[in-house]
Amino acid sequence: RQSGTLYLLHISIAGREAGTKITKDLKYIKEVLRYTFTGFVTDGGTAIVSAVGEVYPHAPHQICLAHMHRQIINSLGRYSKDKRITDLIGLANHIWFIESTEALKYWEDKLKDWIRSNFFFLKETRKDDTGRTWYIHKGVRKAVKIMIKLPKTSFKFLTHPTMPKTTNEIEATFGHIGQRWLRHKGLKKTRWESYLKWFTYYYNKKLLDR
């Protein structure tokens, strides 16, 4: 979907998120519709990342900040009583207030300070009777790895102001289509494809008639 105008460019059906299918759709948009993107904001799935990289290799690609934040918080938990973890959660929540490259650099430095201060906490391991060893704080380690990558994956909007931070714009449309799918999921694929074409036309017409 086109950001800002909410205009639906293309809808297709896929049994799963396959890179080949998404690549085919993007090529249709590029070669048939002749649409050129100034940038992409996606959920960061491997299939869509590879497809965008193949069809639009030079376009900036922002991984949805909301998706990344959700992954971090799910890894840490929301109600930890450990101050080390609550401090990290505070850093994770602070990403919504970053609006400049200077602020991002400040945030990165704070994250590095946290990692240095909690180096041994992150390295804590446990060994069972068989000699198998594992990291105790797996969720925290996962969250830290995601946060380290954030400046490169999810802050393209700082240098490309027309790009939104998240995919929230399109999620509402997906939810609307999903509700209709639940009411009509008995339809054959050909009928459902016809319905989606009608839905796209009707939806875009309403936008243009505003």
Side-chain angles (χ1 to χ4, degrees), residues 1 13 22 24 38 49 61 66 73 76 99 147 162 171:
R1 193 171 79 173
I13 295 176
I22 299 173
K24 181 180 177 182
T38 56
V49 169
H61 189 174
I73 298 303
L76 295 174
E99 298 291 345
M147 292 171 76
T162 58
E171 297 292 346

Side-chain angles (χ1 to χ4, degrees), residues 157-176:
F157 67 89
L158 294 179
T159 49
H160 298 84
T162 58
M163 296 176 68
K165 295 180 182 180
T166 71
T167 59
N168 289 352
E169 286 184 19
I170 200 168
E171 297 292 346
T173 305
F174 284 162
H176 185 51

Side-chain angles (χ1 to χ4, degrees), residues 1-8 35 169 203-204 207 210:
R1 193 171 79 173
Q2 188 181 56
S3 176
T5 66
L6 311 184
Y7 193 83
L8 289 174
Y35 189 85
E169 286 184 19
Y203 180 89
N204 288 338
L207 288 175
R210 283 181 182 176

Side-chain angles (χ1 to χ4, degrees), residues 29 33 35 37 47 49 52 62 66 79 111 115 134 142 148 157 162 175 177 179 183:
I29 293 171
L33 300 184
Y35 189 85
F37 291 97
V49 169
V52 169
Q62 159 101 12
Y79 307 109
L111 177 62
I115 293 171
W134 67 91
K142 179 181 177 181
I148 289 172
F157 67 89
T162 58
I177 295 173
Q179 289 174 3
R183 290 199 296 266

